[in-house]
Amino acid sequence: MVKINDNYLKLPGSYLFSTIGKKVREYSGSHPDKKIIRLGIGDVTLPLAPAIISALHSAVDEMGRAETFRGYAPDLGYDFLREAIAEHDYRARGCAIDADEIFVSDGAKCDSGNIQEIFSLDSRVAVCDPVYPVYVDSNVMAGRAGNYDSDAGTWSDVIYMPCTADNAFVPELPDETPDLIYLCFPNNPTGAAVTKARLQEWVDYACKVGAVILYDAAYEAYITEDDVPHSIYECDGAKSCAIELRSFSKNAGFTGLRLGFAVVPKGLERGGVSLHALWARRHGTKYNGAPYIVQRAGEAVYSQAGKAQLAEQIAYYRKNADYIYKGLKEAGYTVSGGVNSPYIWLKTPKGMSSWEFFDCLLEKADVVGTPGSGFGPGGEGYFRLTAFGSYENTVEAVDRIRAL
């Protein structure tokens, strides 16, 4: 008789955003006349920029002609996109990353869930708390997390690094020595950013103990402060200890197109084995490559017109973040994030739990956010709002919350 992977049975409840979606659907069904404003899931709302649409149309036309038709994409990505990424995202910032160190994928979420496959099951994993759920859940599915303590909301074999108001939501170096360290800056969910000097401490630590940093830089386009690095490779020695994950979703609106990439330096080795070679083997075996038309759209992100148009879109979302941050702070809420990030992290009022505040906002203000407890035990008592709605809806949502 076939046996299942019973690690899946250890996962508590459903995926966070599935639970939110179910609650909102039920409420909407019972209150069809209500205008619900969604500031929960980090999905963009502005249409694709004209330069990207033009590239998509051109690529679709190519697919309709025999002489320019493309079949399977190269599993590691087309050279034109990998070279554009290397030049504009890395060399332009002084990072010596080569095009063949870039692995094009269908998004940073998939990469952050899949990257753990190239490491042994006895690897100790360290995560920030609160944390993006995929980092933990994918290691649970693999059998690397140990046993779940439902009272504490933690896994026995996971090293939790507290991110609190006292440390500005940036973790301290852990007391236990991890093998894999998940870092995300600007951070999801807290919106916290890390200075280059602080990130250099993590790089130095990883090099010292032989750990590998899995660095999620999906929100780097929202950085506004000069001392906040856009890439971990701006730090000395990072190429010998870090894998960086990036996405086109939040900087270019590709949540529906699906495009991202991982950077695995050729010199990154553990136990005498090249992690670049391992990821290339895994990628080539399990992935058929992002579609040609989507990769051409990705290339357009780096065009002169694309850069200018996307700068306007990011400024639009930054304006939303600023309105949420200032509006809630003026209303007496304790808020953070929103400066280098599209996420605003706020302390729930009146001692409410995260889900109690979720229900309160939904039922009394018709506004949807994300309960902090969904990001781990360290998120209890906090709440996340996103800046990805329209400006008009953002203003209305904040005004509704202020009126509670």
Side-chain angles (χ1 to χ4, degrees), residues 72-92:
Y72 287 123
D75 49 22
L76 306 186
Y78 282 103
D79 288 342
F80 61 78
L81 179 56
R82 298 169 86 191
E83 183 58 40
I85 291 169
E87 179 61 32
H88 295 277
D89 285 332
Y90 294 100
R91 293 178 198 141

Side-chain angles (χ1 to χ4, degrees), residues 358-393:
F358 174 91
D359 291 336
C360 175
L361 282 192
L362 181 59
E363 295 168 6
K364 295 184 178 180
D366 300 316
V367 173
V368 178
T370 307
S373 60
F375 298 100
E380 181 54 82
Y382 285 89
F383 204 76
R384 192 193 76 175
L385 295 173
T386 81
F388 290 121
S390 70
Y391 181 71
E392 293 74 20
N393 279 347

Side-chain angles (χ1 to χ4, degrees), residues 295-311:
Q295 294 197 50
R296 280 297 186 192
E299 181 188 31
V301 168
Y302 301 100
S303 68
Q304 184 174 357
K307 285 183 177 181
Q309 292 161 9
L310 293 177

